[in-house]
Amino acid sequence: MQKELDSLLLTNAAHEFGTPLYIYDSDSIRMQYLKLITAFKGIKSRIFYACKALTNIHILKLMNELDSNIDCSSINEIHLAMLAGFSPEKIIFTSNGVLFDEVIEAVGLGVHVNIDNISTLERFGMTFGGKYPASIRLRPNIMAGGNINIATGHENSKFGIPIEMIDSILTIVEKYNIEIDGLHIHSGSDMNDQHVYVKEVEIMADYARFFPHLNWIDLGGGLKIPYDQHENETDINQLALRLAALFKKFRKPDGSEYEIWLEPGKFLVSACGYLVSRVNVIQKTPKQTFVYLDTGFNHLIRPMFYGAFHRITNLSNEGGLKQPYNIVGNLCETDTFAENRSLPEISEGDYLVFHNAGAYGFEMSMNYNARLKPAEVMVENGNTRLIRRRDNLKDLLRNQIDTENMFS
């Protein structure tokens, strides 16, 4: 696992900015991106940051500075990407069942458009014909990923056009003379089985021959990162070598190479993030000891939503005698982060930190129980700076009607 931020820095940030608090290490992001571009150096490829993982504009600006491309799932993510400095050519729009107006707007902005269903493909052909290129997201019918909710390529998944519908795809493409310049597959998230990527390439090789304008093959994201100290990160160097070998055999009809596109999200930002929380209450019962934090699934939903494991450290007593605890939130709802977790002795007022909280942490946060969203802080060269202020009561009323004068 990569080097982590110092506990004292995390604690000082909690004192300065309050808790709960999201903290992001810019050096971690740089290191993860460097791993990718180093592994794929000399291979015709492009890296697209899957920004749904974390869209804070300062993170997006950092990705642009690193010369990454960007994968967007909504029209607003596209607008954020462009505000962060990304040119349209570096943006791919991979939506899922969106209103066709979003597709029209994306075309107007000049970004790459990835189509994930037959209905949209038909409407795209009727509207643009051969005037604007598009790519197609195929559903490979592969079960992969760390949880059923993040497995996106299996036969019951809503994502992509099933590969058995290739005849329908070709009928529409030929009818409207649509120029298909890319094929896309994304089988799931948190994958450590490199054979999945091999299988994806084999599927693409079967279908690429139908599309004479094809320039690139997008294998999606899903690269494994370790949430537990006993887990291993995807071996990027080995994966790059395997893909390079496959793509030497899998070429365009004219003998030239297809470009490999990858869309990592978690891989780039998960390890950079820390959620620091303060212990509100400790309640000892005959069977368990509950540790109630000043946060809940309204700030970090992954443990409840996916059964995800996040390592927890007691910043206030790292060397203490370990005891079993149930780490829970402060919501009027079951919001258990960890059951029977062995941690150094915890006292009320201690600071606990959730590791690997950069991906789908703040991004999936909400205001349930009218709780406020936390602040976000970036660490650069050992210095911390605020990149999003903490919500206040006005933020809860901001878009409600006839509330403008309530605070005068």
Side-chain angles (χ1 to χ4, degrees):
M1 298 180 74
Q2 62 178 261
K3 183 180 178 181
E4 297 183 319
L5 289 178
D6 181 80
S7 295
L8 182 59
L9 185 151
L10 296 173
T11 302
N12 288 342
H15 282 299
E16 181 177 357
F17 299 103
T19 59
L21 179 69
Y22 271 101
I23 303 173
Y24 308 122
D25 179 12
S26 64
D27 285 344
S28 170
I29 296 173
R30 293 177 190 277
M31 186 180 79
Q32 291 298 96
Y33 186 74
L34 181 62
K35 283 182 187 178
L36 286 169
I37 60 171
T38 299
F40 283 86
K41 186 177 181 180
I43 302 171
K44 194 175 180 182
S45 60
R46 292 175 70 178
I47 304 299
F48 289 75
Y49 167 53
C51 71
K52 63 181 179 179
L54 182 58
T55 59
N56 185 294
I57 196 72
H58 300 273
I59 300 294
L60 301 187
K61 286 181 177 180
L62 174 57
M63 292 298 181
N64 188 48
E65 289 171 11
L66 293 173
D67 201 30
S68 174
N69 302 280
I70 190 164
D71 166 46
C72 298
S73 299
S74 73
I75 198 67
N76 288 332
E77 286 185 356
I78 294 174
H79 286 301
L80 289 174
M82 297 183 81
L83 286 170
F86 286 90
S87 61
E89 197 277 331
K90 297 178 72 174
I91 301 171
I92 184 170
F93 179 41
T94 304
S95 59
N96 182 244
V98 301
L99 193 66
F100 192 68
D101 288 355
E102 283 196 32
V103 177
I104 293 173
E105 188 174 351
V107 170
L109 292 171
V111 305
H112 298 283
V113 173
N114 197 14
I115 296 174
D116 79 315
N117 63 81
I118 288 291
S119 175
T120 298
L121 183 63
E122 177 95 37
R123 294 191 68 179
F124 188 91
M126 293 171 62
T127 306
F128 301 106
K131 298 176 182 177
Y132 198 90
S135 58
I136 293 175
R137 178 174 183 170
L138 297 174
R139 192 187 75 192
N141 297 335
I142 297 173
M143 176 61 77
N147 180 285
I148 186 61
N149 290 332
I150 53 177
T152 58
H154 57 87
E155 64 180 357
N156 295 314
S157 172
K158 70 171 186 173
F159 296 98
I161 304 174
I163 53 176
E164 60 266 28
M165 295 182 70
I166 186 64
D167 288 342
S168 298
I169 294 172
L170 293 176
T171 297
I172 295 171
V173 168
E174 292 170 9
K175 179 179 179 181
Y176 298 106
N177 195 31
I178 306 172
E179 182 179 318
I180 302 301
D181 62 354
L183 290 179
H184 174 282
I185 287 183
H186 176 61
S187 296
S189 181
D190 226 22
M191 300 186 301
N192 207 18
D193 182 0
Q194 294 189 12
H195 180 70
V196 173
Y197 294 98
V198 174
K199 183 65 176 175
E200 288 180 349
V201 175
E202 291 172 348
I203 290 171
M204 294 295 199
D206 285 339
Y207 293 96
R209 58 194 170 90
F210 295 117
F211 304 101
H213 302 290
L214 207 63
N215 292 315
W216 48 268
I217 302 295
D218 190 333
L219 300 179
L223 301 172
K224 173 70 177 175
I225 56 96
Y227 281 86
D228 190 319
Q229 289 175 311
H230 303 294
E231 294 178 331
N232 294 314
E233 185 176 276
T234 297
D235 187 331
I236 298 300
N237 293 318
Q238 184 185 58
L239 178 62
L241 289 172
R242 293 185 74 172
L243 291 178
L246 286 169
F247 274 80
K248 280 184 179 179
K249 301 175 183 177
F250 170 33
R251 289 178 175 266
K252 298 180 187 179
D254 64 4
S256 61
E257 297 178 58
Y258 289 109
E259 194 167 57
I260 305 171
W261 288 12
L262 292 172
E263 301 170 352
K266 274 185 188 178
F267 187 85
L268 289 171
V269 298
S270 178
C272 87
Y274 304 78
L275 174 59
V276 183
S277 180
R278 196 167 184 266
V279 177
N280 284 342
V281 173
I282 294 179
Q283 177 171 232
K284 294 185 179 181
T285 71
K287 291 186 177 181
Q288 301 104 349
T289 298
F290 291 95
V291 175
Y292 295 83
L293 303 180
D294 64 356
T295 188
F297 71 62
N298 56 321
H299 298 152
L300 183 64
I301 200 171
R302 295 187 73 257
M304 289 294 294
F305 200 30
Y306 302 123
F309 176 92
H310 281 265
R311 193 160 49 88
I312 302 171
T313 300
N314 184 355
L315 296 173
S316 303
N317 185 26
E318 291 186 81
L321 184 66
K322 289 188 175 183
Q323 299 180 30
Y325 295 101
N326 281 15
I327 310 299
V328 298
N330 62 348
L331 298 179
C332 190
E333 191 82 36
T334 299
D335 57 347
T336 303
F337 292 112
E339 289 185 283
N340 201 34
R341 183 75 63 88
S342 180
L343 292 168
E345 186 177 4
I346 299 172
S347 303
E348 292 180 359
D350 280 359
Y351 289 114
L352 303 190
V353 61
F354 294 89
H355 299 262
N356 282 98
Y360 308 103
F362 187 95
E363 197 64 25
M364 297 180 78
S365 65
M366 66 184 94
N367 291 117
Y368 184 59
N369 278 181
R371 294 289 179 184
L372 306 178
K373 289 188 179 183
E376 293 176 289
V377 165
M378 179 87 88
V379 178
E380 297 170 303
N381 300 317
N383 299 312
T384 57
R385 67 181 178 96
L386 190 66
I387 59 173
R388 184 196 294 266
R389 65 166 175 79
R390 187 176 309 282
D391 274 3
N392 57 41
L393 187 58
K394 289 183 180 181
D395 292 313
L396 298 182
L397 295 168
R398 184 174 303 281
N399 295 316
Q400 297 184 38
I401 305 302
D402 297 330
T403 62
E404 290 83 357
N405 300 319
M406 294 185 69
F407 293 91
S408 57

